[in-house]
Amino acid sequence: MKHFVITLVGPDRAGLVDQISHTVFNHHGSWQASRLSQLAGQFAGIIHISVSDTYANALVHALRALDGLQLLITDATPASPSPITHTLSVTGNDRRGIVQALSQLLAAHGVTINKLNTQTQSAANTGGQIFTADFYLTVPPAADINVLHEALETLSDDLIVDFDSNFIQ
């Protein structure tokens, strides 16, 4: 069995996910997991696909033939899933450097970011932009959660940080 992680980027259009899923299905692939988004008129996706060795080359060839998409296909050996143990939600006035400051602080504490969702939206009362981020994290067992929480709280006066230090089951 082969496993691929496929990264796709290209102009968004109706039916694109159907075209990709149809290609995977027709070449005996199994869609394992994905993260798909439309960002600024562009389709961006990451898909984990498994396929028997017999059909792997044909599937890769068919995916590369999809019109209008840039693809990166990586052989992947499935790892045992990392438990997602903590969540971090951040809200604040949008400005440069929020993700950089947060990712730097988390890395300094040995924290792994398993998933990150961000967005900006209009702040009705101020007319500015509000930035929100949801992090799903694995914190090493040796890390002091209280120290990490304090570091997050002092990161910035204009950010509201909600760190769930309870394990997610």
Side-chain angles (χ1 to χ4, degrees), residues 1 18 35 39 42 47-48 53 55 58 64 66 76 83 85 96 102 112 118 132 140-141 146:
M1 184 68 69
D18 180 49
R35 302 290 183 269
L39 301 167
Q42 296 292 304
I47 308 168
H48 171 198
D53 293 346
Y55 299 103
R64 290 195 190 284
L66 292 173
T85 55
R96 275 183 74 230
L102 287 162
T112 301
T118 65
T132 59
N146 293 325

Side-chain angles (χ1 to χ4, degrees), residues 25-69:
F25 177 79
N26 280 347
H27 291 85
H28 306 275
S30 177
W31 192 295
Q32 300 295 302
S34 62
R35 302 290 183 269
L36 308 174
S37 293
Q38 188 269 4
L39 301 167
Q42 296 292 304
F43 170 84
I46 302 172
I47 308 168
H48 171 198
I49 294 173
S50 64
V51 62
S52 74
D53 293 346
T54 305
Y55 299 103
N57 288 337
L59 174 60
V60 167
H61 181 72
L63 288 168
R64 290 195 190 284
L66 292 173
D67 188 41
L69 292 175

